[in-house]
Amino acid sequence: MSRQQVRGNPRMRRGLGSRTSDPTTMMEDPPSGDWLTLRSDQFLKWVDDAVYNIAEQTGIRDVVNRVTRPIFNWALRYSPWPLHFGIMCCALEMGAAGGPDHDSERMGVVYRSSPRQCDILIVNGPVCEKLRPKLKTLYEQMADPKWVIAMGECAIGGGPYWDSYSVVAGADTFIPVDVYIPGCPVRPEALMHGFLTLQKKIREQEPGYFLRR
Amino acid sequence: METGKLIQQLGKHKGTSNSSALRSNVGCISVTPEASSAFFTALKEDFAFDHCSLISAVDNQSGFELVYHFSIVGESGQMLEVHVDLPRDTPTIDSITHLWGGADWHEREAYDLMGIYFIGHPDLKRVLLPDGFAGHPLRKDYVYEIHEEEW
Amino acid sequence: MAEMWIHMGPQHPMTHGLWNLRIKVDGETITDAVPELGYLHRSVEKIGERRKYFMNTTLTDRLCYASAMTWTHCYCLTVEELMGVETPQRAKYIRTIVLELQRIASHLMWLGAYLPDLGLITGFLYGMRDREMFLNLLEIPSGGRLLYNYVRIGGVKRDLPPGFAAKAERVMQTLEQRLKEYEDLYDNSKIFRMRTDDVGCYSASDAINWGITGPNLRSAGVAFDLRQADSYDAYPELDFTPVTTSASDGISDCFSRYRQRIDEMYQSMDLIRQALAKMPEGEVMADSVPVRASGEAFRRTEDSRGEALMYLVGDGTDRPYRWKIRSPMFTTVSASPHFLKGYKVADVPAIMGSIDMCIGETDK
């Protein structure tokens, strides 16, 4: 199935979580007002009506934002959890950065194996045509806010495999990349610097809104 | 068995030619695709070549050439290189997976990248490239787009 | 009970790289397994035909990133065979030393990757800590941490600096002490033994037929080592016999594969000491290395993971006409369904981790 077809079909786009039958027939609508028993799509609608719109109209949202945003941003900045996902050489240096000699965990970098728990996708090697759809799925499975680090020459522009028939010319051809770390392979110190650069970027972008759409 | 004696005995088989010794423990022989099946069976059963190291397919423009490397797991480390020439329009040969289990994916790879068909292979499909890939990229006439100039 | 297929990969903590294992389970018992490769197929063989002979060492370094030195060495040996270049004696000894250092680093990498799979997260920290010492040691002559490009066609890039032997000796003494600690820690650990004893068994005759080589074959009691059987560099002048282990007679299981690699590290240290003591003085690079080559040649070497074989065809130009790589893991992975069947889903990391996979060389 081509990527175009996948993009056009909303049920396919949902990936692993796609339902096979119509969700509305699976459960009776709950009584209105009891938000504890709502399904997720109903809950989002309920939040819109009951909280977001009111907070927006009365201006409370701005006040809360001003108070909480530095706290949320600080929390985001110092707990950048990357996905435990190794492609090639740089994956070993990613492991070495997490090892005892460099110990990236002191900066809050904790590797998680599930994309649902992660903030950072580290593309640490060449992206082949066979891998590209899988990597895109991984990126889409990650919850917002999320960032992408292109680690090494292969992820930046194909590296030594620039004239290969199966390697994509850089990760930024299909997912947005925030930090580029040059090197072949990237040394662990350079990866640490990349994390610090990303911290700076998170501070400047100021994410961490209260009730962000 | 000594390499000289080995290639002498192998040279008596039907369809073989050009037997020679490459190094002290490496022999080299050519065989026709029709006679290859009987030859490989004899190699496994009579000469105790119990390890199939590698199957390489070479595109010689005029035709294809399969190069098999067999070896004996033992202190002698004896090896045999077998060349089989295949015609360009029908590159087919009998599979050897029933003799050496390790040849399975080497044959699949030769099919995937070079387009050689192995008759009798249990599961001949692409192994490295995605299923929908068009063409066999290691052939010399395979062209693909390169964006930059050569160094 | 209904059977179902489970995908493990391409992103899965078990895989240690990019590949996909589809297993068919009946309850928790594996009834069938299909490994899928190709997620890291960079077409090294094709783009190698577009580069000159000496440029390809860049690609061979990146074939197996955990064991870069051995792959570049295998390529250089093949090109030397093709061109008829004779390597100086000192370069042969230096090659032997760096190859064995690389083997230890690779096995430590495996130790650091395998033990966390079994729940022993300290194993990762220990393995990475000790590997770092060997990377620093290899950085001294080559200048690279992970990929060295140190072995060149006709010799090595530069001589070992003075004081290298003393530094290597100090590192090896440290590792010997620590390996003894690890043996005490893991060999007698009940959890570790329960997860590895009698798991992922195969017999020696099956392994030979499936094409399994290297430590995975020697762990079934087969004394087959290409450093001895098809000797190269300074190995003929060193005194050693292949180390073997086996669970019972001619059977390999996860624990014997673990023991095999620990024993090989001891043997590698012994070989490094011998080579450092015997090393002659002299040049480290051949006088002249031709640029063009014709004919065909192949060489095989004992990689950290098994038999590495490269086959080169030259057509008289300065670029290879055909370059074919035999990866030891490619055949071992193709045999993995045989020794996965019958075990539980929880044994998959224990079994697949124990064969020391490296996807870079497998997918080429």
Side-chain angles (χ1 to χ4, degrees):
Chain A
M1 184 175 286
S2 76
R3 282 199 305 143
Q4 216 61 39
Q5 281 169 299
V6 173
R7 189 177 291 157
N9 184 345
R11 183 164 291 163
M12 292 303 296
R13 200 172 50 215
R14 259 188 241 155
L16 291 172
S18 64
R19 295 196 187 92
T20 44
S21 58
D22 190 8
T24 50
T25 58
M26 284 163 67
M27 209 158 85
E28 293 283 309
D29 272 355
S32 59
D34 184 6
W35 61 273
L36 283 170
T37 55
L38 293 179
R39 283 200 314 267
S40 59
D41 52 339
Q42 293 168 333
F43 178 74
L44 285 176
K45 192 169 173 298
W46 179 84
V47 170
D48 271 2
D49 295 343
V51 185
Y52 184 84
N53 288 346
I54 295 170
E56 183 77 38
Q57 281 156 17
T58 53
I60 291 174
R61 187 171 158 268
D62 276 351
V63 179
V64 178
N65 245 340
R66 235 168 276 166
V67 177
T68 58
R69 205 200 300 179
I71 303 171
F72 287 177
N73 190 273
W74 169 81
L76 276 173
R77 218 161 55 226
Y78 290 102
S79 61
W81 286 11
L83 184 64
H84 178 219
F85 179 56
I87 300 181
M88 224 177 85
C89 320
C90 292
L92 290 197
E93 295 297 53
M94 189 178 89
D101 269 38
H102 299 89
D103 191 17
S104 58
E105 204 164 319
R106 66 200 147 106
M107 292 171 0
V109 176
V110 180
Y111 294 95
R112 305 298 302 174
S113 288
S114 165
R116 302 282 189 205
Q117 302 170 333
C118 294
D119 310 306
I120 303 176
L121 177 66
I122 302 182
V123 186
N124 44 23
V127 184
C128 302
E129 290 290 352
K130 199 171 176 177
L131 174 68
R132 181 166 66 177
K134 318 276 178 195
L135 195 63
K136 195 145 197 291
T137 311
L138 277 179
Y139 177 74
E140 281 165 2
Q141 281 175 343
M142 284 164 59
D144 270 331
K146 56 191 169 188
W147 295 273
V148 178
I149 294 181
M151 182 183 183
E153 302 296 340
C154 301
I156 294 174
Y161 310 107
W162 58 274
D163 55 349
S164 161
Y165 56 80
S166 60
V167 173
V168 177
D172 53 4
T173 53
F174 63 101
I175 46 175
V177 175
D178 295 276
V179 178
Y180 296 86
I181 311 175
C184 191
V186 169
R187 290 179 74 97
E189 297 92 323
L191 180 62
M192 310 284 267
H193 183 257
F195 284 132
L196 292 175
T197 313
L198 189 67
Q199 276 189 357
K200 210 182 283 172
K201 184 164 183 171
I202 296 172
R203 185 197 277 268
E204 281 162 10
Q205 273 182 348
E206 296 191 343
Y209 289 91
F210 173 66
L211 288 178
R212 186 162 180 243
R213 299 316 327 268
Chain B
M1 198 186 292
E2 266 183 44
T3 309
K5 211 170 144 197
L6 172 83
I7 53 175
Q8 207 178 5
Q9 288 197 13
L10 284 172
K12 288 177 192 156
H13 271 269
K14 201 172 137 239
T16 57
S17 57
N18 297 336
S19 57
S20 62
L22 292 180
R23 287 197 288 275
S24 64
N25 60 348
V26 182
C28 178
I29 198 165
S30 297
V31 66
T32 58
E34 295 79 28
S36 68
S37 190
F39 177 77
F40 288 140
T41 311
L43 206 59
K44 171 86 193 284
E45 279 157 17
D46 305 340
F47 295 93
F49 277 92
D50 46 5
H51 175 59
C52 173
S53 277
L54 182 63
I55 302 173
S56 343
V58 184
D59 182 0
N60 280 337
Q61 319 272 2
S62 55
F64 293 103
E65 187 182 8
L66 278 182
V67 185
Y68 293 79
H69 288 96
F70 298 104
S71 63
I72 295 175
V73 175
E75 221 166 286
S76 69
Q78 203 162 40
M79 287 198 84
L80 186 70
E81 190 177 295
V82 183
H83 291 252
V84 186
D85 279 318
L86 300 177
R88 183 153 194 104
D89 44 346
T90 51
T92 54
I93 191 169
D94 287 332
S95 167
I96 57 165
T97 40
H98 59 285
L99 296 170
W100 292 276
D104 183 349
W105 278 23
H106 289 308
E107 291 188 346
R108 273 178 73 181
E109 193 192 339
Y111 162 72
D112 187 358
L113 302 179
M114 201 63 104
I116 314 280
Y117 289 85
F118 293 89
I119 299 163
H121 189 283
D123 187 22
L124 194 65
K125 59 182 188 190
R126 289 190 183 273
V127 58
L128 290 176
L129 292 165
D131 282 334
F133 198 88
H136 302 285
L138 279 188
R139 289 189 178 188
K140 292 284 175 190
D141 54 5
Y142 179 84
V143 281
Y144 60 102
E145 201 181 336
I146 299 170
H147 302 289
E148 291 157 81
E149 282 184 10
E150 205 176 341
W151 306 339
Chain C
M1 194 179 279
E3 291 188 331
M4 63 189 273
W5 284 94
I6 297 179
H7 284 242
M8 295 175 111
Q11 193 268 329
H12 190 275
M14 175 277 293
T15 55
H16 297 300
L18 282 175
W19 63 292
N20 186 5
L21 181 67
R22 292 194 294 134
I23 50 174
K24 191 181 183 186
V25 289
D26 180 3
E28 274 208 46
T29 312
I30 300 166
T31 55
D32 199 3
V34 181
E36 270 179 23
L37 296 181
Y39 295 102
L40 195 54
H41 177 60
R42 295 144 293 165
S43 66
V44 170
E45 289 169 359
K46 180 77 173 179
I47 59 180
E49 291 171 9
R50 294 163 43 80
R51 284 157 175 66
K52 296 179 183 175
Y53 282 104
F54 64 88
M55 290 159 97
N56 276 337
T57 50
T58 316
L59 297 176
T60 52
D61 258 354
R62 284 150 185 79
L63 262 182
C64 176
Y65 26 90
S67 179
M69 202 74 93
T70 53
W71 279 98
T72 309
H73 169 255
C74 181
Y75 173 75
C76 290
L77 265 191
T78 317
V79 178
E80 282 160 15
E81 175 93 14
L82 185 69
M83 294 176 169
V85 178
E86 183 61 32
T87 321
Q89 195 66 11
R90 185 176 172 84
K92 287 186 176 177
Y93 272 89
I94 294 177
R95 281 183 181 187
T96 309
I97 291 163
V98 291
L99 286 179
E100 293 305 319
L101 286 172
Q102 178 72 84
R103 197 182 309 278
I104 298 174
S106 173
H107 283 353
L108 282 171
M109 178 73 224
W110 166 82
L111 194 71
Y114 183 46
L115 294 170
D117 284 355
L118 304 179
L120 300 158
I121 200 78
T122 43
F124 169 73
L125 300 173
Y126 286 156
M128 294 307 264
R129 179 186 65 178
D130 296 347
R131 176 172 167 268
E132 212 68 31
M133 298 192 303
F134 284 89
L135 296 190
N136 291 340
L137 209 53
L138 287 168
E139 199 174 350
I140 295 172
S142 67
R145 235 182 78 85
L146 195 64
L147 311 175
Y148 311 102
N149 212 347
Y150 179 61
V151 180
R152 298 281 170 91
I153 300 162
V156 293
K157 187 160 70 176
R158 61 172 81 92
D159 205 346
L160 295 179
F164 185 84
K167 275 182 191 141
E169 182 58 39
R170 200 160 63 234
V171 166
M172 285 190 289
Q173 277 175 8
T174 315
L175 182 68
E176 267 174 344
Q177 281 173 10
R178 287 182 180 167
L179 274 184
K180 294 223 164 57
E181 266 177 47
Y182 304 157
E183 283 177 306
D184 290 345
L185 195 58
Y186 305 131
D187 286 17
N188 304 319
S189 159
K190 202 166 180 184
I191 300 172
F192 184 66
R193 294 301 292 261
M194 278 165 74
R195 300 244 9 218
T196 52
D197 271 339
D198 295 326
V199 172
C201 297
Y202 51 77
S203 70
S205 56
D206 278 348
I208 292 170
N209 187 29
W210 296 333
I212 294 177
T213 47
N216 295 329
L217 179 62
R218 287 194 290 276
S219 66
V222 182
F224 182 61
D225 193 326
L226 291 174
R227 286 175 285 180
Q228 203 185 44
D230 204 353
S231 199
Y232 47 90
D233 284 353
Y235 288 112
E237 292 154 43
L238 304 180
D239 173 34
F240 73 105
T241 47
V243 283
T244 57
T245 46
S246 66
S248 55
D249 194 24
I251 299 284
S252 166
D253 69 355
C254 287
F255 185 73
S256 76
R257 272 165 271 175
Y258 152 81
R259 274 302 332 164
Q260 175 67 29
R261 290 196 171 82
I262 297 276
D263 289 347
E264 281 193 12
M265 280 195 255
Y266 282 118
Q267 190 196 28
S268 292
M269 285 190 275
D270 179 42
L271 286 171
I272 293 167
R273 289 202 175 101
Q274 284 186 40
L276 280 170
K278 278 190 181 174
M279 190 158 63
E281 291 297 318
E283 291 292 310
V284 295
M285 195 74 189
D287 288 336
S288 67
V289 178
V291 180
R292 293 175 179 79
S294 58
E296 51 190 64
F298 78 91
R299 276 313 285 258
R300 52 179 188 161
T301 60
E302 184 71 31
D303 181 51
S304 316
R305 286 163 181 75
E307 177 192 7
L309 192 152
M310 286 200 192
Y311 176 68
L312 272 171
V313 182
D315 59 348
T317 61
D318 54 358
R319 288 147 215 255
Y321 182 78
R322 175 79 170 98
W323 175 25
K324 175 75 188 166
I325 302 157
R326 189 224 191 246
S327 144
M329 272 304 119
F330 188 69
T331 30
T332 311
V333 174
S334 77
S336 64
H338 295 291
F339 50 85
L340 279 169
K341 275 178 206 165
Y343 297 99
K344 306 288 181 200
V345 177
D347 292 331
V348 174
I351 296 170
M352 296 315 291
S354 73
I355 63 171
D356 191 9
M357 287 197 62
C358 176
I359 282 301
E361 48 151 284
T362 312
D363 278 359
K364 294 187 271 288

